[in-house]
Amino acid sequence: MLRSVLTLAAAALVLAACTTTAPPPPVAPTPQVPTPTTPQPSQPTQPATPSPAAFSALQGWNEEDHAAALQAFRETCGVAKDPATAEVCRRAKAAGPVDDARARQFLEANFRPEAVGGQGLLTAYFAPEYEARMSRSAEFSAPMRGRPADLAMLDLGAFDPSLKGKTVVGRVAGGTFVPYDDRAVIEASPLDRPLAWMRPEDLFFLQIQGSGVLTLSDGRRVRAAFAAHNGKTFVGIATAMRDQGLLADGNTSGEAIRGWLAANRGPRADAIMQLNPRYVFFQTLPDDGRQATGAANVPLPAGRAIAVDPSQHAMGGLYWIDASAPKLAGAFPTYRRAVVALDTGGAIKGQVRADLYMGAGQAAGTEAGRVRHDLRLWRLVPQVQQ
């Protein structure tokens, strides 16, 4: 969301692990604003029975900005580990600047669409920019916390080779490794030196995205970069807010959620945010003006990068998304375009599940918060020419 490491724990270790993003955040989530990299499996799972298709079968292909699609692939495909993708990547870079017709010709000559699964879900994330202060006030009352000294990440691969790349988060108490505290406990804990003070709802959304940029009262800008999380599973609050009658069905966008939290700042909003036990810790870095980076550690092209489940898809792969039937008010009706898998996220699990990176700032955040569309996904399989 910009996003981070999501892992499963072994029952024998008494702990469930998760990851961010982000931030993702989404998408991290998340903006970076760099987000932490996520370990990738050596052989991501592919569909058991892939379905080849012609480009003419892709709804929206004729209207695609093929030059923009090829440019996004060319700028980011260097992260691909798959030999076939790496070969097409070399060809794309050697092709130089091309117009739309030649870009379409290149894509159709070097890839073959292959359907992935059935219907899934598309959401979106962005790189947030928020105001912050170096001292507490009634408005800026939420402390942005650094990584606690007692937080530890346990590599399960050290105990079982089959769990390589999987970690759990916790702390040592009484000689035993135990789960780390949830959001409510952390927020009630005293804090000596916060990194900054934020509006509570802004900090909550910054944690969902995984990273962002803060503007201080003197005009300075600093990057809030992901440092760690508490290992708890991310729980979205939109459904609970709808079920409690706080938001109308169909009006649970990020914009609507943030507005309600701001209007009800205090114990009532805190109780809603604490329904999500996941808590993200940050570090502050100078703002270098760079674009957001994701798990693949390359700048994310706005509108052309997706976060995916790394157990299902490899970084650097090219995909076609066909998303329609929006569930939230004010959303664009469709998203049909070629995108590159460049990130991961704590809530992005499954074969037909993607989080589309929208860019940085308020406008990108508004659009991202309205994306909840039915998704059909195609992998554009690289063709090795003899």
Side-chain angles (χ1 to χ4, degrees), residues 17-33:
C18 334
T19 63
T20 59
T21 177
V27 61
T30 285
Q32 253 154 342
V33 187

Side-chain angles (χ1 to χ4, degrees), residues 98 173 185:
V98 294
V185 173

Side-chain angles (χ1 to χ4, degrees), residues 4-10 15-20 37-40 153-156 163-169 229 231-233 278 309-310 344-346 349:
S4 50
V5 184
L6 182 63
T7 53
L8 299 176
L15 198 46
C18 334
T19 63
T20 59
T37 57
T38 302
Q40 299 176 37
M153 297 184 67
L154 182 63
D155 180 4
L156 300 182
L163 298 176
K164 182 180 179 180
K166 299 184 182 299
T167 60
V168 291
V169 179
H229 61 81
K232 301 299 183 183
T233 300
R278 187 181 193 82
D309 184 341
T344 62
K349 307 300 290 182

Side-chain angles (χ1 to χ4, degrees), residues 183 187 200-205 207-208 233-248 251-262 268-278 328 347 372:
R183 174 180 294 274
E187 290 181 341
E201 63 276 7
D202 288 349
L203 176 61
F204 184 77
F205 272 80
Q207 291 178 321
I208 293 175
T233 300
F234 174 86
V235 176
I237 62 174
T239 299
M241 295 182 73
R242 180 200 63 197
D243 292 347
Q244 293 182 30
L246 305 179
L247 293 175
N251 188 34
T252 56
S253 67
E255 182 181 14
I257 292 172
R258 187 181 178 282
W260 188 94
L261 294 174
R268 193 178 184 204
D270 291 345
I272 292 297
M273 291 186 286
Q274 287 170 3
L275 294 175
N276 174 22
R278 187 181 193 82
L328 300 176
R372 190 172 184 85

